[in-house]
Amino acid sequence: MATYSDDTHAEGSYGKGGRTEGSNGPGAGPSTVLGRAPSLLPRLALGALRSPFKRPSATADFPRTRLVLPGLRIDLVRLAAYERVCGFPTGEDALPVTYPHVLGFPSAMSLMSGRDFPLPLLGLVHTSIEITRYRELTASGEYELTVYVDGLAPHRRGTEVAVVTELRVGAEVVWESVSTYLARHRTKDTGGERERETHGPLPGVAEWRLAGDIGRRYAAASGDRNPIHLYPLTARLFGFPRAIAHGMWTAARCLAAHGTPQAVLVRAEFRAPVLLPGTVTYAADGERFELCGGDRVHVSGGVYPLTGPSAAGAVS
C-alpha cells in the first residue's frame, strides 16, 4: 500500500463515528470483539492477493463490521523504539499523539484486506489523516480500540475510503482519527472539488538529513513493513527509484518537532513521496507546518488546540 500521491486531497464527505458507546453513525454496524490484535503481515499478503479481483467504485458496498480490541496494553519496548525513530521524548508516561494509529493499523488492514472490502489494497494511497485527542494518554493505561470503515466517496482520480480508529477508556472516547485512502481508477470528473488551502511558503525551521534506513527502523517499531519503504530494490518493484518514507512517519516527525497540547485536533495531508536517503526542510508558522524538499511540499498540516467542553473528554 503506497503512502503518498501528488494532488490527492480528500474531495468527498464522510460521516464521523459517534463519541459514546453504541453510536449509530454512518459507519455503525455489528461489532466483532478480538482476543488479540490481528497479525499484520498475513493481512497485507492476503490483501495483495485479492487486489487484482477488486473492482473499485464509490457506490460499492463496504464492510460495516466494527473490530473491537478490549484490554489493550502498550508494549513499552516498541513504544520507545517508535519514539526514538520519530523524534518524540522517551521515558515519559505519555503516548505520542500519532501512536494510537499504529495500534489500530493491524485492525484497519484486517478490514481492508477482507473479501468484502471493495478497493484493492495494492496501490491504495494514504491521502490524509485527522486526529482528535481529547486528553493526554498514558503509556501505562488500558484501552479499548475500535476500527471501522466509515464510507466511500468519489474522487476525481478514483474512489476514497474513510477508516475510523477510536481509543476508549471505559465508555469515553479519548482519541479518534479518520484516515482517507485513495484507490485510483478511471472515473468521470465529479466536479465540486474542495480546493486546498493556499498560503505562501512557511518559514524553514530545520533541515533534516534522512538516513536510508528510516523506513526499516519505522517498520520495526510500527509493524508496517510495506516493501516500498524498506530497500531500493523492493521500492523499484512498485515504481519508486528508491525507498520512500512512511507517510505516518513524516507526520509524526513533524508533530514531534511542532509539539501538541494535551487536547488537540491535528490534520495532515500527504502530498508527495519522500525518497530515502534525502534531505528535507521542516517549516512551520503558528498552527501550520510543512515538510518540503526544495519547492515540493511533501506533507502539510496543522495543529489546533481544543477548547471548551470537548477538551475535557469525549462524553457529553
Side-chain angles (χ1 to χ4, degrees), residues 215-281:
R216 296 190 292 277
R217 291 172 56 203
Y218 183 83
S222 69
D224 184 357
R225 292 181 171 85
N226 188 318
I228 63 175
H229 305 302
L230 303 181
Y231 300 97
L233 178 60
T234 55
R236 282 197 291 269
L237 295 175
F238 295 89
F240 295 97
R242 304 196 301 273
I244 66 171
H246 293 73
M248 284 305 299
W249 177 84
T250 62
R253 185 67 186 90
C254 288
L255 292 169
H258 190 285
T260 55
Q262 292 185 8
V264 66
L265 170 66
V266 170
R267 294 190 178 102
E269 182 183 347
F270 307 119
R271 298 172 59 173
V274 176
L275 295 174
L276 300 172
T279 301
V280 292
T281 298

Short mmCIF file of all heavy atoms in Angstrom, two decimals, residues 215-281:
data_model
loop_
_atom_site.label_atom_id
_atom_site.label_comp_id
_atom_site.label_asym_id
_atom_site.label_seq_id
_atom_site.Cartn_x
_atom_site.Cartn_y
_atom_site.Cartn_z
N GLY A 215 13.00 3.95 6.87
CA GLY A 215 11.84 3.10 6.61
C GLY A 215 11.92 1.78 7.35
O GLY A 215 10.91 1.30 7.89
N ARG A 216 13.09 1.17 7.42
CA ARG A 216 13.25 -0.10 8.12
C ARG A 216 13.11 0.09 9.63
O ARG A 216 12.51 -0.75 10.32
CB ARG A 216 14.60 -0.73 7.77
CG ARG A 216 14.72 -1.09 6.29
CD ARG A 216 15.95 -1.92 5.99
NE ARG A 216 17.21 -1.20 6.17
CZ ARG A 216 17.74 -0.41 5.26
NH1 ARG A 216 17.13 -0.21 4.10
NH2 ARG A 216 18.92 0.19 5.48
N ARG A 217 13.64 1.18 10.14
CA ARG A 217 13.53 1.45 11.58
C ARG A 217 12.08 1.73 11.97
O ARG A 217 11.59 1.23 12.99
CB ARG A 217 14.42 2.64 11.97
CG ARG A 217 15.91 2.35 11.90
CD ARG A 217 16.71 3.62 12.12
NE ARG A 217 16.35 4.26 13.38
CZ ARG A 217 16.54 5.55 13.63
NH1 ARG A 217 17.05 6.35 12.71
NH2 ARG A 217 16.20 6.05 14.81
N TYR A 218 11.37 2.51 11.14
CA TYR A 218 9.97 2.77 11.44
C TYR A 218 9.14 1.49 11.30
O TYR A 218 8.22 1.24 12.09
CB TYR A 218 9.42 3.86 10.53
CG TYR A 218 7.98 4.23 10.86
CD1 TYR A 218 7.71 5.13 11.87
CD2 TYR A 218 6.92 3.67 10.16
CE1 TYR A 218 6.40 5.47 12.20
CE2 TYR A 218 5.60 4.00 10.47
CZ TYR A 218 5.36 4.90 11.49
OH TYR A 218 4.05 5.21 11.81
N ALA A 219 9.46 0.66 10.30
CA ALA A 219 8.74 -0.60 10.12
C ALA A 219 8.90 -1.50 11.33
O ALA A 219 7.94 -2.15 11.77
CB ALA A 219 9.24 -1.31 8.86
N ALA A 220 10.11 -1.55 11.89
CA ALA A 220 10.35 -2.38 13.07
C ALA A 220 9.54 -1.90 14.26
O ALA A 220 9.06 -2.69 15.07
CB ALA A 220 11.83 -2.40 13.41
N ALA A 221 9.38 -0.59 14.39
CA ALA A 221 8.64 -0.02 15.53
C ALA A 221 7.13 -0.07 15.33
O ALA A 221 6.38 -0.22 16.29
CB ALA A 221 9.08 1.43 15.76
N SER A 222 6.68 0.07 14.08
CA SER A 222 5.24 0.18 13.82
C SER A 222 4.61 -1.11 13.30
O SER A 222 3.40 -1.28 13.38
CB SER A 222 4.99 1.28 12.78
OG SER A 222 5.49 0.89 11.50
N GLY A 223 5.42 -1.99 12.74
CA GLY A 223 4.89 -3.20 12.13
C GLY A 223 4.51 -3.05 10.67
O GLY A 223 4.19 -4.04 10.01
N ASP A 224 4.58 -1.84 10.13
CA ASP A 224 4.21 -1.60 8.73
C ASP A 224 5.43 -1.86 7.85
O ASP A 224 6.24 -0.98 7.60
CB ASP A 224 3.71 -0.17 8.56
CG ASP A 224 3.23 0.12 7.14
OD1 ASP A 224 3.33 -0.78 6.28
OD2 ASP A 224 2.76 1.24 6.89
N ARG A 225 5.53 -3.09 7.34
CA ARG A 225 6.69 -3.49 6.54
C ARG A 225 6.35 -3.52 5.05
O ARG A 225 6.72 -4.45 4.34
CB ARG A 225 7.21 -4.84 7.02
CG ARG A 225 7.84 -4.78 8.41
CD ARG A 225 8.36 -6.13 8.86
NE ARG A 225 9.14 -6.01 10.09
CZ ARG A 225 8.61 -6.02 11.31
NH1 ARG A 225 7.29 -6.13 11.45
NH2 ARG A 225 9.37 -5.92 12.38
N ASN A 226 5.66 -2.52 4.60
CA ASN A 226 5.40 -2.38 3.17
C ASN A 226 6.74 -2.29 2.44
O ASN A 226 7.60 -1.47 2.80
CB ASN A 226 4.57 -1.11 2.94
CG ASN A 226 4.09 -0.97 1.52
OD1 ASN A 226 4.82 -1.23 0.58
ND2 ASN A 226 2.85 -0.55 1.36
N PRO A 227 6.96 -3.10 1.39
CA PRO A 227 8.27 -3.12 0.73
C PRO A 227 8.70 -1.81 0.10
O PRO A 227 9.89 -1.59 -0.12
CB PRO A 227 8.11 -4.22 -0.33
CG PRO A 227 6.64 -4.41 -0.50
CD PRO A 227 6.04 -4.10 0.84
N ILE A 228 7.76 -0.89 -0.19
CA ILE A 228 8.16 0.38 -0.79
C ILE A 228 8.96 1.24 0.18
O ILE A 228 9.62 2.20 -0.23
CB ILE A 228 6.95 1.19 -1.31
CG1 ILE A 228 6.02 1.57 -0.15
CG2 ILE A 228 6.20 0.42 -2.38
CD1 ILE A 228 4.87 2.46 -0.58
N HIS A 229 8.93 0.89 1.46
CA HIS A 229 9.62 1.68 2.47
C HIS A 229 10.95 1.08 2.92
O HIS A 229 11.67 1.70 3.71
CB HIS A 229 8.74 1.84 3.71
CG HIS A 229 7.40 2.41 3.45
ND1 HIS A 229 7.21 3.64 2.86
CD2 HIS A 229 6.14 1.92 3.69
CE1 HIS A 229 5.91 3.89 2.75
NE2 HIS A 229 5.27 2.86 3.23
N LEU A 230 11.31 -0.11 2.43
CA LEU A 230 12.39 -0.86 3.05
C LEU A 230 13.73 -0.76 2.32
O LEU A 230 14.75 -0.43 2.92
CB LEU A 230 11.98 -2.32 3.20
CG LEU A 230 10.68 -2.55 4.00
CD1 LEU A 230 10.39 -4.04 4.09
CD2 LEU A 230 10.74 -1.90 5.37
N TYR A 231 13.75 -1.08 1.04
CA TYR A 231 15.00 -1.13 0.28
C TYR A 231 14.79 -0.56 -1.12
O TYR A 231 13.68 -0.60 -1.65
CB TYR A 231 15.50 -2.58 0.16
CG TYR A 231 15.76 -3.25 1.48
CD1 TYR A 231 14.80 -4.09 2.05
CD2 TYR A 231 16.97 -3.06 2.15
CE1 TYR A 231 15.04 -4.71 3.27
CE2 TYR A 231 17.21 -3.68 3.37
CZ TYR A 231 16.24 -4.51 3.93
OH TYR A 231 16.47 -5.12 5.14
N PRO A 232 15.85 -0.06 -1.74
CA PRO A 232 15.71 0.45 -3.11
C PRO A 232 15.16 -0.60 -4.08
O PRO A 232 14.31 -0.29 -4.92
CB PRO A 232 17.13 0.87 -3.48
CG PRO A 232 17.79 1.17 -2.18
CD PRO A 232 17.20 0.20 -1.20
N LEU A 233 15.62 -1.84 -3.96
CA LEU A 233 15.18 -2.89 -4.87
C LEU A 233 13.69 -3.16 -4.73
O LEU A 233 12.96 -3.23 -5.72
CB LEU A 233 15.97 -4.17 -4.63
CG LEU A 233 15.56 -5.37 -5.51
CD1 LEU A 233 15.74 -5.03 -6.98
CD2 LEU A 233 16.37 -6.61 -5.12
N THR A 234 13.21 -3.30 -3.49
CA THR A 234 11.79 -3.59 -3.30
C THR A 234 10.93 -2.38 -3.67
O THR A 234 9.81 -2.54 -4.14
CB THR A 234 11.51 -4.01 -1.85
OG1 THR A 234 12.00 -2.99 -0.95
CG2 THR A 234 12.20 -5.32 -1.52
N ALA A 235 11.45 -1.18 -3.48
CA ALA A 235 10.69 0.01 -3.87
C ALA A 235 10.59 0.12 -5.39
O ALA A 235 9.55 0.53 -5.93
CB ALA A 235 11.35 1.26 -3.30
N ARG A 236 11.67 -0.26 -6.11
CA ARG A 236 11.64 -0.18 -7.57
C ARG A 236 10.60 -1.11 -8.18
O ARG A 236 10.07 -0.84 -9.26
CB ARG A 236 13.03 -0.48 -8.13
CG ARG A 236 14.00 0.70 -8.02
CD ARG A 236 15.20 0.52 -8.92
NE ARG A 236 16.06 -0.56 -8.47
CZ ARG A 236 17.10 -0.39 -7.63
NH1 ARG A 236 17.38 0.82 -7.16
NH2 ARG A 236 17.85 -1.41 -7.28
N LEU A 237 10.28 -2.19 -7.49
CA LEU A 237 9.24 -3.10 -7.98
C LEU A 237 7.89 -2.41 -8.07
O LEU A 237 7.01 -2.86 -8.82
CB LEU A 237 9.14 -4.32 -7.05
CG LEU A 237 10.36 -5.24 -6.99
CD1 LEU A 237 10.15 -6.32 -5.94
CD2 LEU A 237 10.63 -5.86 -8.35
N PHE A 238 7.73 -1.31 -7.32
CA PHE A 238 6.46 -0.58 -7.30
C PHE A 238 6.59 0.80 -7.94
O PHE A 238 5.74 1.67 -7.75
CB PHE A 238 5.94 -0.47 -5.86
CG PHE A 238 5.58 -1.79 -5.26
CD1 PHE A 238 6.53 -2.54 -4.58
CD2 PHE A 238 4.29 -2.30 -5.39
CE1 PHE A 238 6.21 -3.76 -4.03
CE2 PHE A 238 3.97 -3.53 -4.84
CZ PHE A 238 4.92 -4.26 -4.16
N GLY A 239 7.68 1.01 -8.70
CA GLY A 239 7.80 2.23 -9.49
C GLY A 239 8.51 3.38 -8.83
O GLY A 239 8.54 4.48 -9.38
N PHE A 240 9.12 3.16 -7.65
CA PHE A 240 9.87 4.22 -6.97
C PHE A 240 11.36 4.02 -7.21
O PHE A 240 11.86 2.89 -7.15
CB PHE A 240 9.57 4.23 -5.47
CG PHE A 240 8.15 4.55 -5.14
CD1 PHE A 240 7.23 3.53 -4.88
CD2 PHE A 240 7.71 5.86 -5.08
CE1 PHE A 240 5.91 3.81 -4.58
CE2 PHE A 240 6.39 6.15 -4.77
CZ PHE A 240 5.49 5.14 -4.52
N PRO A 241 12.12 5.10 -7.44
CA PRO A 241 13.56 4.93 -7.69
C PRO A 241 14.34 4.48 -6.45
O PRO A 241 15.36 3.84 -6.56
CB PRO A 241 14.00 6.33 -8.14
CG PRO A 241 12.98 7.26 -7.55
CD PRO A 241 11.69 6.50 -7.56
N ARG A 242 13.83 4.86 -5.28
CA ARG A 242 14.43 4.44 -4.01
C ARG A 242 13.30 4.19 -3.01
O ARG A 242 12.15 4.48 -3.29
CB ARG A 242 15.37 5.54 -3.45
CG ARG A 242 16.47 5.95 -4.40
CD ARG A 242 17.58 6.72 -3.69
NE ARG A 242 17.14 7.94 -3.02
CZ ARG A 242 17.04 9.13 -3.61
NH1 ARG A 242 17.31 9.25 -4.90
NH2 ARG A 242 16.68 10.20 -2.92
N ALA A 243 13.67 3.66 -1.87
CA ALA A 243 12.68 3.51 -0.80
C ALA A 243 12.12 4.88 -0.42
O ALA A 243 12.80 5.90 -0.52
CB ALA A 243 13.31 2.85 0.42
N ILE A 244 10.85 4.91 0.00
CA ILE A 244 10.24 6.16 0.43
C ILE A 244 9.84 6.06 1.90
O ILE A 244 9.57 4.97 2.42
CB ILE A 244 9.01 6.53 -0.43
CG1 ILE A 244 7.88 5.52 -0.25
CG2 ILE A 244 9.40 6.63 -1.90
CD1 ILE A 244 6.58 5.93 -0.90
N ALA A 245 9.85 7.18 2.56
CA ALA A 245 9.47 7.22 3.98
C ALA A 245 7.99 6.94 4.14
O ALA A 245 7.16 7.29 3.29
CB ALA A 245 9.82 8.58 4.57
N HIS A 246 7.63 6.30 5.25
CA HIS A 246 6.22 6.12 5.58
C HIS A 246 5.56 7.49 5.76
O HIS A 246 6.14 8.39 6.39
CB HIS A 246 6.07 5.36 6.90
CG HIS A 246 6.52 3.93 6.87
ND1 HIS A 246 7.86 3.57 6.84
CD2 HIS A 246 5.81 2.78 6.89
CE1 HIS A 246 7.94 2.25 6.87
NE2 HIS A 246 6.73 1.74 6.89
N GLY A 247 4.37 7.62 5.23
CA GLY A 247 3.65 8.88 5.42
C GLY A 247 3.43 9.20 6.88
O GLY A 247 3.61 10.34 7.31
N MET A 248 3.05 8.18 7.68
CA MET A 248 2.80 8.44 9.09
C MET A 248 4.09 8.74 9.85
O MET A 248 4.05 9.39 10.90
CB MET A 248 2.06 7.27 9.72
CG MET A 248 0.58 7.23 9.34
SD MET A 248 -0.33 8.76 9.72
CE MET A 248 -0.14 8.87 11.50
N TRP A 249 5.25 8.29 9.33
CA TRP A 249 6.49 8.72 9.97
C TRP A 249 6.71 10.20 9.72
O TRP A 249 7.10 10.94 10.63
CB TRP A 249 7.70 7.92 9.44
CG TRP A 249 8.98 8.43 10.05
CD1 TRP A 249 9.51 8.07 11.25
CD2 TRP A 249 9.85 9.44 9.52
NE1 TRP A 249 10.67 8.78 11.50
CE2 TRP A 249 10.90 9.64 10.44
CE3 TRP A 249 9.85 10.20 8.33
CZ2 TRP A 249 11.93 10.55 10.24
CZ3 TRP A 249 10.88 11.11 8.13
CH2 TRP A 249 11.91 11.27 9.07
N THR A 250 6.49 10.67 8.49
CA THR A 250 6.71 12.09 8.20
C THR A 250 5.78 12.96 9.04
O THR A 250 6.19 14.00 9.55
CB THR A 250 6.51 12.39 6.71
OG1 THR A 250 5.16 12.11 6.32
CG2 THR A 250 7.46 11.59 5.85
N ALA A 251 4.52 12.53 9.20
CA ALA A 251 3.59 13.30 10.03
C ALA A 251 4.03 13.30 11.48
O ALA A 251 4.04 14.35 12.15
CB ALA A 251 2.18 12.73 9.90
N ALA A 252 4.42 12.13 11.98
CA ALA A 252 4.85 12.04 13.38
C ALA A 252 6.10 12.86 13.63
O ALA A 252 6.22 13.54 14.66
CB ALA A 252 5.09 10.58 13.75
N ARG A 253 7.04 12.82 12.69
CA ARG A 253 8.28 13.58 12.86
C ARG A 253 8.00 15.08 12.91
O ARG A 253 8.59 15.81 13.72
CB ARG A 253 9.25 13.26 11.71
CG ARG A 253 10.62 13.92 11.86
CD ARG A 253 11.38 13.37 13.04
NE ARG A 253 12.63 14.10 13.29
CZ ARG A 253 12.73 15.16 14.08
NH1 ARG A 253 11.64 15.64 14.69
NH2 ARG A 253 13.89 15.74 14.28
N CYS A 254 7.08 15.55 12.06
CA CYS A 254 6.71 16.96 12.09
C CYS A 254 6.03 17.34 13.40
O CYS A 254 6.31 18.39 13.98
CB CYS A 254 5.79 17.29 10.92
SG CYS A 254 6.59 17.31 9.30
N LEU A 255 5.15 16.47 13.89
CA LEU A 255 4.42 16.77 15.12
C LEU A 255 5.34 16.71 16.34
O LEU A 255 5.14 17.44 17.31
CB LEU A 255 3.24 15.81 15.28
CG LEU A 255 2.14 16.01 14.24
CD1 LEU A 255 1.15 14.87 14.28
CD2 LEU A 255 1.42 17.35 14.47
N ALA A 256 6.34 15.84 16.29
CA ALA A 256 7.32 15.81 17.38
C ALA A 256 8.08 17.13 17.45
O ALA A 256 8.38 17.63 18.53
CB ALA A 256 8.28 14.64 17.18
N ALA A 257 8.37 17.70 16.28
CA ALA A 257 9.07 18.98 16.25
C ALA A 257 8.16 20.14 16.60
O ALA A 257 8.57 21.10 17.27
CB ALA A 257 9.67 19.20 14.85
N HIS A 258 6.90 20.06 16.16
CA HIS A 258 5.96 21.16 16.38
C HIS A 258 5.48 21.21 17.81
O HIS A 258 5.33 22.28 18.40
CB HIS A 258 4.77 21.00 15.43
CG HIS A 258 3.86 22.18 15.37
ND1 HIS A 258 2.96 22.47 16.39
CD2 HIS A 258 3.70 23.14 14.43
CE1 HIS A 258 2.29 23.57 16.05
NE2 HIS A 258 2.73 24.00 14.89
N GLY A 259 5.21 20.04 18.39
CA GLY A 259 4.60 19.97 19.71
C GLY A 259 3.09 20.03 19.61
O GLY A 259 2.53 20.65 18.70
N THR A 260 2.41 19.37 20.54
CA THR A 260 0.95 19.35 20.55
C THR A 260 0.44 19.52 21.98
O THR A 260 1.00 18.93 22.91
CB THR A 260 0.41 18.02 20.00
OG1 THR A 260 0.96 16.92 20.73
CG2 THR A 260 0.74 17.86 18.52
N PRO A 261 -0.61 20.31 22.18
CA PRO A 261 -1.22 20.40 23.51
C PRO A 261 -1.93 19.09 23.85
O PRO A 261 -2.11 18.22 22.99
CB PRO A 261 -2.21 21.55 23.37
CG PRO A 261 -2.50 21.63 21.91
CD PRO A 261 -1.28 21.19 21.20
N GLN A 262 -2.33 18.94 25.12
CA GLN A 262 -2.98 17.70 25.54
C GLN A 262 -4.27 17.45 24.78
O GLN A 262 -4.53 16.32 24.35
CB GLN A 262 -3.24 17.74 27.05
CG GLN A 262 -1.99 17.71 27.89
CD GLN A 262 -2.27 17.63 29.37
OE1 GLN A 262 -3.41 17.45 29.81
NE2 GLN A 262 -1.23 17.77 30.17
N ALA A 263 -5.10 18.46 24.63
CA ALA A 263 -6.35 18.34 23.88
C ALA A 263 -6.15 19.05 22.55
O ALA A 263 -5.93 20.26 22.50
CB ALA A 263 -7.51 18.95 24.65
N VAL A 264 -6.22 18.29 21.45
CA VAL A 264 -5.77 18.86 20.19
C VAL A 264 -6.45 18.19 19.00
O VAL A 264 -6.83 17.02 19.04
CB VAL A 264 -4.23 18.71 20.06
CG1 VAL A 264 -3.84 17.25 19.96
CG2 VAL A 264 -3.67 19.50 18.90
N LEU A 265 -6.63 18.97 17.95
CA LEU A 265 -7.03 18.46 16.64
C LEU A 265 -5.84 18.62 15.71
O LEU A 265 -5.26 19.70 15.61
CB LEU A 265 -8.22 19.26 16.10
CG LEU A 265 -8.60 19.00 14.63
CD1 LEU A 265 -9.11 17.58 14.43
CD2 LEU A 265 -9.64 20.02 14.16
N VAL A 266 -5.45 17.53 15.05
CA VAL A 266 -4.31 17.52 14.13
C VAL A 266 -4.80 17.11 12.75
O VAL A 266 -5.56 16.15 12.62
CB VAL A 266 -3.22 16.54 14.61
CG1 VAL A 266 -2.16 16.36 13.54
CG2 VAL A 266 -2.60 17.01 15.90
N ARG A 267 -4.38 17.83 11.74
CA ARG A 267 -4.66 17.43 10.36
C ARG A 267 -3.33 17.33 9.61
O ARG A 267 -2.46 18.18 9.77
CB ARG A 267 -5.56 18.44 9.66
CG ARG A 267 -6.97 18.52 10.23
CD ARG A 267 -7.88 19.35 9.33
NE ARG A 267 -9.24 19.40 9.83
CZ ARG A 267 -9.76 20.43 10.47
NH1 ARG A 267 -9.03 21.51 10.66
NH2 ARG A 267 -11.01 20.40 10.90
N ALA A 268 -3.20 16.30 8.78
CA ALA A 268 -2.03 16.15 7.93
C ALA A 268 -2.47 15.61 6.59
O ALA A 268 -3.30 14.71 6.51
CB ALA A 268 -1.02 15.21 8.56
N GLU A 269 -1.91 16.18 5.54
CA GLU A 269 -2.20 15.78 4.17
C GLU A 269 -0.90 15.32 3.52
O GLU A 269 0.10 16.04 3.53
CB GLU A 269 -2.80 16.96 3.40
CG GLU A 269 -3.17 16.64 1.97
CD GLU A 269 -3.69 17.87 1.25
OE1 GLU A 269 -3.99 18.89 1.92
OE2 GLU A 269 -3.77 17.82 0.01
N PHE A 270 -0.91 14.12 2.95
CA PHE A 270 0.27 13.54 2.33
C PHE A 270 0.23 13.84 0.84
O PHE A 270 -0.66 13.39 0.13
CB PHE A 270 0.31 12.04 2.59
CG PHE A 270 0.17 11.69 4.05
CD1 PHE A 270 -0.89 10.92 4.50
CD2 PHE A 270 1.10 12.16 4.97
CE1 PHE A 270 -1.01 10.61 5.85
CE2 PHE A 270 0.98 11.85 6.31
CZ PHE A 270 -0.08 11.07 6.76
N ARG A 271 1.23 14.58 0.37
CA ARG A 271 1.15 15.15 -0.98
C ARG A 271 2.19 14.64 -1.95
O ARG A 271 1.95 14.63 -3.16
CB ARG A 271 1.23 16.68 -0.88
CG ARG A 271 0.06 17.26 -0.08
CD ARG A 271 0.20 18.74 0.20
NE ARG A 271 0.30 19.54 -1.01
CZ ARG A 271 0.29 20.88 -1.00
NH1 ARG A 271 0.18 21.53 0.16
NH2 ARG A 271 0.41 21.55 -2.12
N ALA A 272 3.35 14.22 -1.49
CA ALA A 272 4.39 13.73 -2.39
C ALA A 272 5.35 12.86 -1.60
O ALA A 272 5.59 13.09 -0.41
CB ALA A 272 5.14 14.90 -3.04
N PRO A 273 5.95 11.84 -2.23
CA PRO A 273 6.83 10.92 -1.50
C PRO A 273 8.14 11.56 -1.10
O PRO A 273 8.66 12.45 -1.77
CB PRO A 273 7.05 9.78 -2.50
CG PRO A 273 6.83 10.41 -3.84
CD PRO A 273 5.78 11.45 -3.64
N VAL A 274 8.68 11.08 0.02
CA VAL A 274 10.00 11.48 0.50
C VAL A 274 10.94 10.33 0.21
O VAL A 274 10.84 9.26 0.82
CB VAL A 274 9.98 11.80 2.00
CG1 VAL A 274 11.40 12.11 2.50
CG2 VAL A 274 9.05 12.97 2.30
N LEU A 275 11.90 10.53 -0.70
CA LEU A 275 12.84 9.48 -1.06
C LEU A 275 13.94 9.37 -0.02
O LEU A 275 14.39 10.37 0.55
CB LEU A 275 13.46 9.78 -2.43
CG LEU A 275 12.49 9.77 -3.63
CD1 LEU A 275 13.22 10.22 -4.89
CD2 LEU A 275 11.87 8.40 -3.82
N LEU A 276 14.35 8.12 0.23
CA LEU A 276 15.38 7.84 1.23
C LEU A 276 16.63 7.25 0.55
O LEU A 276 16.50 6.39 -0.32
CB LEU A 276 14.85 6.84 2.26
CG LEU A 276 13.62 7.29 3.06
CD1 LEU A 276 13.09 6.14 3.90
CD2 LEU A 276 13.95 8.50 3.92
N PRO A 277 17.82 7.71 0.96
CA PRO A 277 18.08 8.84 1.85
C PRO A 277 17.76 10.15 1.15
O PRO A 277 17.60 10.20 -0.07
CB PRO A 277 19.58 8.70 2.13
CG PRO A 277 20.13 8.03 0.91
CD PRO A 277 19.06 7.09 0.44
N GLY A 278 17.67 11.21 1.94
CA GLY A 278 17.35 12.50 1.35
C GLY A 278 17.43 13.60 2.38
O GLY A 278 17.69 13.36 3.57
N THR A 279 17.20 14.82 1.93
CA THR A 279 17.22 15.99 2.79
C THR A 279 15.91 16.75 2.63
O THR A 279 15.47 16.99 1.50
CB THR A 279 18.40 16.92 2.45
OG1 THR A 279 19.63 16.20 2.60
CG2 THR A 279 18.43 18.14 3.36
N VAL A 280 15.28 17.09 3.74
CA VAL A 280 14.01 17.81 3.71
C VAL A 280 14.09 18.99 4.67
O VAL A 280 14.95 19.03 5.56
CB VAL A 280 12.82 16.90 4.09
CG1 VAL A 280 12.59 15.83 3.03
CG2 VAL A 280 13.05 16.26 5.46
N THR A 281 13.17 19.92 4.49
CA THR A 281 13.09 21.08 5.38
C THR A 281 11.77 21.05 6.12
O THR A 281 10.69 20.93 5.51
CB THR A 281 13.18 22.39 4.57
OG1 THR A 281 14.45 22.45 3.91
CG2 THR A 281 13.04 23.60 5.49
#
